[in-house]
Structures are given as C-alpha cells and as structure tokens.
Amino acid sequence: MRAEHNWQAVPATSAGLMYRMYRHVLPAVDNQLKRWQAEAEKIPDQELRLQALASIASKRFHCQGGAVYAAAEPGMYGVLIPLIVALQTISDYLDNLCDRSVSMDPADFRQLHQAMLDAVTPGAAPGAYYALRPCEGDAGYLTALVATCQQCMAQLPSHAVVQPHLVRLVSLYVDLQVYKHIAPELREERLLTWWEEHRHGFAHLRWYEFAAATGSTLGMFALFLAAAQPRLLASEAEAMSNGYFPHVSGLHILLDYLIDQEEDRREGDLNFCAYYEDGDTLTARLESIASLALADVASLPGARFHRMVIEGLQALYLSDAKASEQEDVRHISRSIMRRSPLMRLFFWINSHYIRSKSATNLDG
C-alpha cells in the first residue's frame, strides 16, 4: 500500500512552476545567497575568502536551478530553500578550493568534502575540514553551512528514510571530487579504476558518463523533496534515488561540462565532454541520456514535475551566455532544442529572465 503524500502540491503546469519559481523561490534563494556572501566576507584567510565569494558570484545559478525542488512543496519553502542553497554552496565552494588549489593531495580533498557527508547527517559533529591544508581558517563559514543543512534536514518528516540514499549519492560525489582533482597525469587512471568498481550496474554508460553522474546534486535535492512527505516508504525513497541516478544526474553534469568546455581548456581542467569522438556523438549521447532520464522519472510520484525539471535543466544550461559564445555548443543546442516545445518555452523564459536581471544589475 502506498503512503499518503502531499504530491498534489506539485505544480501541474509549466506556467504554475514558473510562477512559483519567479514569484517565491528565486527571491528567497537570493536572500539566502546574500546571507552566505555576508558570512564569506568575514573569512580571515585570503584564499578561502576569495574562493567562497567567487563560488557565490559565478555559480549562483546552481542554487537557483536546484531550488526548483522547493517549488514542488510550498509549505516547506522555509526548510527546503535554505537546505538546498546551503548544500549547493558547500559543493561550489569546495569545488573552487580544489580546482584552484596549489595542493593535489587526495587526503586533503577527502577531508574537505567530509563537510558534504556531515551536512546530510543530522547530529554529526563538525569536522576539522581544513586539517590537511595550511590556512588561517574561515571563521566558522563551512561549519555554519553544514549546521544549516543538518538543522533543515532534521525538520523534514521522512529524513531518516532517505538518509541511506543521500549518503550513497554524497559518497560517490566525494569520490569524484577526490579523483578528478589529483595530479593531472593520475586522474584518468584513477577514474578508470573507480569505474571498474561500479561498471557492473551501469554497463550501458561510458566511464566518463558515470563519473559525470556522480558529480550532480540533483538526486540529493530530489531526496530532500521526498523527505518532505510524511510517512515516506523505504521503497519510495529508493525509487526516487534510482529515478535520478544515473541518467538525470548524468545529463545535468554533462550539460554543465558542455558549456564549460572553452573555460576548462583555458584553465587546464578536466572536462568529460572532451572524451567524445566528435560533436555529433556528443549530441547523440546527450539526447539518448535525456530520453533515459525522462523514462526513469515517468513512474515517480509527481512525474510531470520531474519531467519539467529535466526539460528546464536543458534550457537552463543551453540559454547560458557561455553556450551562445561557443559555435560548437550553439550547434548542439539547436539540435537538442528541436526535441521539445516545452524546453523551447523554458529556454525563452530563462533567457528573458537573464537579460532582465543583467539590465537591473547594470542600472544599479
């Protein structure tokens, strides 16, 4: 027997979802980011402060996009939005620290990312996250982010039910962050060894597609939404986790890498899209993974919402300025956009929103 849930709160139409996002969710996300920016400005260590502020300034759209899961549960805005923003801010901050670090010590990267595991474990004691790197400290910035996640998670009625699945997804995420940031000559070998440990369950994927899937936070956010439902069954938590990993998650990060190709070439950073033979193969694989993602969420409660998330996810990335500035990405974008009128609608809305925000910032 299915448990009684409040999935009727999920918006039934794209117009309803967009109204909630632009009227309620995005302003609340901006307020949360302002809070964390103010805290980041107090960090005494120059490098930690620089990367904390840079992650908020340049990756805020990660929080904006992730907060779509809060739009599915208006009664929990005050819990889900701070939770999603805090966890995504940890992710973006630590990614910046590892990307721009002079260290390539895997133990350091794993120690830093213990914060992600602690964040999804209510009651876990804060760790010495910077223990393996010389720094002046962050005046409690990372610990405060972790504590916010824990406090919000504890308010979700079914948080204990989703806990094992959160830990699994976060553990895979941490593994990726460690392996992709070590010395460049060691990265691919270690990622391939890691893939061999997991490929039995994902043989239809290429090794770098699996790796990309582990780098997404969307499955975590979907589990937060599930945990907002009272009396969630263990089988329903498992279905939500499997509905997002690996295909929705993989699509998310491959799109992220797609628009970052030029930047990553310039910075010498690992980019999984570079492993495809050519642009046509990349396009075909993105379309195939998107189709699998849509099939995976079709049987989930609130299936139409999850479908809108997938369509909106593609529009969000493909409407980014970085996509329009790269000719090969523009070509891929046009090909993908032809697949869905809903995606084209989200693309237009998001492009309009980006332009209006840019104009507001310029006027200010």
Side-chain angles (χ1 to χ4, degrees), residues 95 99 175-182 187 191 257 270:
D95 189 52
D99 269 345
D175 285 345
L176 175 67
Q177 296 308 308
V178 172
Y179 303 144
K180 81 169 189 172
H181 286 113
I182 59 176
R187 289 172 186 167
L191 285 165
Y257 278 117
L270 184 71

Side-chain angles (χ1 to χ4, degrees), residues 55-325:
S55 70
I56 292 172
S58 65
K59 298 180 178 180
R60 64 189 303 113
F61 81 98
H62 290 169
C63 293
Q64 292 168 330
V68 70
Y69 293 92
E73 189 54 81
M76 296 292 281
Y77 281 163
V79 175
L80 288 171
I81 294 173
L83 173 57
I84 290 167
V85 170
L87 188 66
Q88 187 62 54
T89 299
I90 296 173
S91 168
D92 291 336
Y93 170 51
L94 296 184
D95 189 52
N96 270 30
L97 281 185
C98 294
D99 269 345
R100 304 296 166 240
S101 175
V102 294
S103 164
M104 290 189 177
D105 178 6
D108 173 38
F109 299 149
R110 197 169 289 280
Q111 183 73 13
L112 284 171
H113 280 88
Q114 181 62 37
M116 290 282 286
L117 285 162
D118 291 347
V120 297
T121 309
Y129 306 123
Y130 303 107
L132 299 180
R133 57 172 51 210
C135 64
E136 296 177 48
D138 66 4
Y141 176 71
L142 186 51
T143 300
L145 283 162
V146 170
T148 296
C149 290
Q150 292 178 339
Q151 291 159 9
C152 291
M153 265 200 69
Q155 296 179 62
L156 297 174
S158 297
H159 73 269
V161 183
V162 304
Q163 181 75 20
H165 304 287
L166 278 169
V167 170
R168 170 178 173 260
L169 293 182
V170 174
S171 296
L172 288 170
Y173 177 91
V174 171
D175 285 345
L176 175 67
Q177 296 308 308
V178 172
Y179 303 144
K180 81 169 189 172
H181 286 113
I182 59 176
E185 65 273 16
L186 301 176
R187 289 172 186 167
E188 186 172 320
E189 178 185 354
R190 189 64 193 92
L191 285 165
L192 284 167
T193 300
W194 181 51
W195 163 240
E196 290 300 326
E197 298 169 9
H198 295 280
R199 69 178 303 163
H200 62 278
F202 308 99
H204 63 293
L205 297 178
R206 303 183 180 194
W207 71 264
Y208 43 91
E209 292 170 343
F210 168 79
T214 66
S216 175
T217 49
L218 293 189
M220 304 170 203
F221 301 157
L223 286 167
F224 292 157
L225 173 60
Q229 311 303 319
R231 299 177 297 281
L232 187 77
L233 300 178
S235 59
E236 294 172 317
E238 181 177 13
M240 185 67 80
S241 182
N242 292 339
Y244 269 76
F245 187 87
H247 300 124
V248 179
S249 299
L251 177 66
H252 171 209
I253 299 303
L254 287 171
L255 288 168
D256 193 57
Y257 278 117
L258 176 70
I259 69 169
D260 280 348
Q261 286 180 96
E262 188 174 303
E263 177 184 337
D264 288 344
R265 279 193 293 267
R266 187 170 62 250
E267 300 289 347
D269 293 334
L270 184 71
N271 189 301
F272 292 127
C273 285
Y275 285 94
Y276 289 102
E277 299 90 328
D278 50 49
D280 289 342
T281 305
L282 170 54
T283 304
R285 289 301 293 170
L286 284 173
E287 292 177 341
S288 174
I289 292 170
S291 295
L292 290 169
L294 290 168
D296 288 344
V297 302
S299 59
L300 293 178
R304 178 168 172 78
F305 166 77
H306 298 291
R307 177 184 177 87
M308 288 191 289
V309 167
I310 294 170
E311 300 284 17
L313 176 70
Q314 294 171 86
L316 177 69
Y317 278 97
L318 297 177
S319 63
D320 189 275
K322 287 186 285 188
S324 62
E325 291 164 0

